Amino acid sequence: MISIYKKYHIAYWCIGIFLLICMAAVMTLFWKEEWYFPLLVLIPTLFLVVVNAKVFTRLATKKLSNEVIVLINECRANDYINALKSLFDKKAKGPVVNSYNMLLAEGYAVIDDYDSVYYCCQNMKRKAYMPARCNFMIGYYLKKDQRALAENEMEELRKLLATIKNQQYREKFETSLKNAEYSIRIMDGNYDGAEEYYKKMLATIKPLYPLTEVSYSYALGKLLILKGEPEKAKEYLNVACEKGGDTKFRKFAEEKLKMLAENKE
């Protein structure tokens, strides 16, 4: 991740090289052939090299979050995708390829471009990214109306949850699984508990980013139409329209509102 920001990348390497030069200088000037002396120099040097990498990784991650991730949370999906492509252009190599495709898949899913989501998933091959890959593939198969394959991916994601140590990361995928489960129930005409669940998510998720709000608002509006409550549905569909930016949720909400208006005439 450090490599995507030139200044951080240069600083990281300069400090790393400086530490190695210092280690070599200490070895040259002070080593009296004691067997333990190289260890006394090597261990703290390696520790500082690791700290150096962690510090710059954290700085790069924070900068990415503040300048790019914020765009998708604000429902500026195309700006987000363009910013990612500009930032990672010619730098997506090695482990960074997985991160790039995971982030890019998020943007494509939000604009309903699931063919591109699928392509990104094929480039996510490291074990640590398998939960994210399963999550995106669930969305892809549901979009393509391939329910059995979606359920297979859901089962695989359930297995992977046990391997995720980061609680916040695990809870994210647990929520995604629950969302998929409700989507499938609704497809089957089973609306039990769905309205309460969506309202609970809107009321309890903190912070409630615009993207999160419009996704659950659209889901609620769509559900209420199916339940025969068009007037209540409009309230949530209007939220998705007003705050949805260039996401699929605004587009879908506009289509639903147009349909309701035509049915009323």
Side-chain angles (χ1 to χ4, degrees):
M1 193 65 74
I2 301 170
S3 62
I4 64 174
Y5 293 108
K6 187 175 181 179
K7 290 182 179 179
Y8 288 163
H9 199 213
I10 292 172
Y12 163 72
W13 277 107
C14 286
I15 292 172
I17 292 169
F18 175 74
L19 290 170
L20 293 176
I21 291 172
C22 288
M23 182 184 74
V26 170
M27 291 286 290
T28 301
L29 295 173
F30 300 106
W31 188 22
K32 305 299 182 181
E33 297 189 2
E34 300 93 339
W35 67 268
Y36 56 83
F37 190 79
L39 290 176
L40 294 178
V41 178
L42 180 62
I43 291 173
T45 300
L46 290 177
F47 173 76
L48 291 174
V49 167
V50 170
V51 170
N52 179 43
K54 287 189 174 182
V55 167
F56 280 101
T57 297
R58 184 168 293 184
L59 287 172
T61 301
K62 185 175 181 181
K63 188 174 178 66
L64 181 70
S65 178
N66 291 340
E67 296 181 358
V68 180
I69 306 300
V70 65
L71 297 174
I72 195 167
N73 287 332
E74 292 177 350
C75 296
R76 297 167 57 191
N78 284 293
D79 287 343
Y80 167 81
I81 292 169
N82 291 333
L84 281 176
K85 288 181 177 179
S86 175
L87 191 59
F88 282 85
D89 184 38
K90 299 179 182 179
K91 300 174 186 176
K93 301 175 183 178
V96 178
V97 170
N98 294 271
S99 301
Y100 176 45
N101 280 279
M102 181 183 71
L103 294 169
L104 202 55
E106 187 75 36
Y108 285 130
V110 166
I111 61 171
D112 200 37
D113 183 357
Y114 278 95
D115 289 333
S116 294
V117 170
Y118 181 86
Y119 176 79
C120 289
C121 286
Q122 307 318 299
N123 294 313
M124 294 162 58
K125 298 178 181 178
R126 293 188 67 186
K127 186 176 179 180
Y129 292 86
M130 288 302 102
R133 186 184 187 281
C134 283
N135 187 41
F136 289 125
M137 290 305 296
I138 290 167
Y140 171 80
Y141 286 129
L142 288 177
K143 175 66 178 181
K144 300 297 183 179
D145 200 26
Q146 296 175 303
R147 178 167 160 175
L149 293 174
E151 290 177 338
N152 288 341
E153 293 288 344
M154 290 168 69
E155 186 57 35
E156 183 62 26
L157 182 53
R158 289 188 188 97
K159 294 176 184 177
L160 290 170
L161 286 176
T163 68
I164 301 175
K165 295 180 180 179
N166 185 298
Q167 182 178 351
Q168 187 176 6
Y169 196 52
R170 184 171 63 251
E171 288 176 351
K172 172 186 174 181
F173 292 118
E174 288 173 344
T175 299
S176 294
L177 267 175
K178 190 167 285 188
N179 290 343
E181 288 167 359
Y182 273 108
S183 294
I184 290 173
R185 289 184 205 171
I186 291 169
M187 289 177 194
D188 290 338
N190 178 4
Y191 309 143
D192 291 347
E195 182 177 350
E196 292 77 10
Y197 170 72
Y198 292 141
K199 286 181 177 179
K200 178 184 176 183
M201 298 306 285
L202 284 170
T204 58
I205 292 178
K206 304 296 179 185
L208 184 64
Y209 295 115
L211 179 62
T212 308
E213 184 179 5
V214 300
S215 65
Y216 282 111
S217 293
Y218 171 71
L220 254 174
K222 180 181 175 183
L223 173 66
L224 290 167
I225 290 174
L226 292 171
K227 292 177 69 174
E229 301 179 57
E231 292 306 314
K232 286 175 63 177
K234 288 179 183 178
E235 175 187 347
Y236 295 101
L237 294 174
N238 281 326
V239 171
C241 280
E242 292 167 8
K243 300 182 180 182
D246 59 0
T247 70
K248 63 184 179 183
F249 303 110
R250 177 178 181 175
K251 181 181 74 171
F252 294 163
E254 288 175 342
E255 290 171 356
K256 294 292 183 186
L257 286 169
K258 183 179 179 181
M259 179 196 73
L260 290 175
E262 290 173 350
N263 290 343
K264 196 172 182 180
E265 292 176 357

